[in-house]
Amino acid sequence: MDAVRVALLREVLAGTEWLGATRRFAGVLRGSVVSYGGGLLLVGTPQYEPWHLAAHLVDEAAWSGTPELAPTLVRHTVRPSGPAHLSVGLGRLEAARRGETLLVVAPDEPATLLERVHEARRAGATVLALGAGGGELESMAHETLAVPEGSELDLDTVQHLVSAAAGENSMPAPRGRGRFRDRLSRLTDHLTAPPPPHW
């Protein structure tokens, strides 16, 4: 979906909650990766790989002058002969650390994915989730944008809105104290994170 189509979609959605919700989520995404200087990991499920979102974020990173938005696509199945940008496996989630952001796009929640996301969060990564909402992933994520089954928009369309909003230079990074749940979540992460390595 190009910029013109995104603009038309935004016109159609004017007055709905979707514009604000996608911009807010994109603001959290952009704020997270810019604050830490990058380290954006993008993962889906074995049946749903968000390669299209990865491509759009790479474009938005280039157009907006925000290289931190360019993600590393983490795949469930990697072919040894594949190109480097398509050859990052789930082991990368095990290496996720504080300062990195993990964006999970998941219409469903396989147990193996949830385990890896949980471990990445415990290691200090910021977890953002796009999915059906209401499941374990929502409670695990620092920020969630729910796209329930039967919504006016599907998950693919919401990804287009999020990637376009993330690349907007005029969008302020979210600031402030946030909700109590968010502050409590950050405190819990800090207290349960492993100690930094001693060299």
Side-chain angles (χ1 to χ4, degrees), residues 19-59:
L19 287 185
T22 53
R23 282 194 165 122
R24 177 192 50 76
F25 187 83
V28 172
L29 170 61
R30 183 177 173 124
S32 178
V33 297
V34 170
S35 296
Y36 290 107
L40 175 58
L41 304 174
L42 175 61
V43 68
T45 68
Q47 289 74 36
Y48 187 92
E49 287 193 329
W51 61 267
H52 204 155
L53 177 58
H56 281 291
L57 285 171
V58 167
D59 289 343

Side-chain angles (χ1 to χ4, degrees), residues 20-166:
T22 53
R23 282 194 165 122
R24 177 192 50 76
F25 187 83
V28 172
L29 170 61
R30 183 177 173 124
S32 178
V33 297
V34 170
S35 296
Y36 290 107
L40 175 58
L41 304 174
L42 175 61
V43 68
T45 68
Q47 289 74 36
Y48 187 92
E49 287 193 329
W51 61 267
H52 204 155
L53 177 58
H56 281 291
L57 285 171
V58 167
D59 289 343
E60 292 296 339
W63 294 332
S64 66
T66 312
E68 299 90 350
L69 284 174
T72 298
L73 179 61
V74 178
R75 305 183 72 201
H76 290 261
T77 304
V78 175
R79 293 182 184 168
S81 60
H85 70 285
L86 295 177
S87 299
V88 178
L90 289 175
R92 180 62 182 88
L93 296 185
E94 295 170 8
R97 295 290 173 255
R98 184 173 303 282
E100 292 184 306
T101 301
L102 174 58
L103 174 54
V104 183
V105 181
D108 56 30
E109 300 184 358
T112 54
L113 175 64
L114 292 175
E115 289 168 16
R116 295 190 187 254
V117 170
H118 178 70
E119 290 303 316
R121 179 179 166 127
R122 285 199 55 191
T126 299
V127 177
L128 308 179
L130 273 170
E136 288 183 55
L137 187 57
E138 184 173 359
S139 63
M140 208 179 293
H142 294 90
E143 190 71 35
T144 303
L145 179 54
V147 187
E149 189 73 30
S151 295
E152 304 88 356
L153 300 180
D154 62 14
L155 189 57
D156 290 334
T157 303
V158 170
Q159 290 174 70
H160 285 291
L161 292 169
V162 167
S163 63

Side-chain angles (χ1 to χ4, degrees), residues 8-19 152-153 157 161:
L8 290 173
L9 179 59
R10 285 176 170 170
E11 281 184 35
V12 170
L13 294 173
T16 70
E17 65 183 33
W18 287 108
L19 287 185
E152 304 88 356
L153 300 180
T157 303
L161 292 169

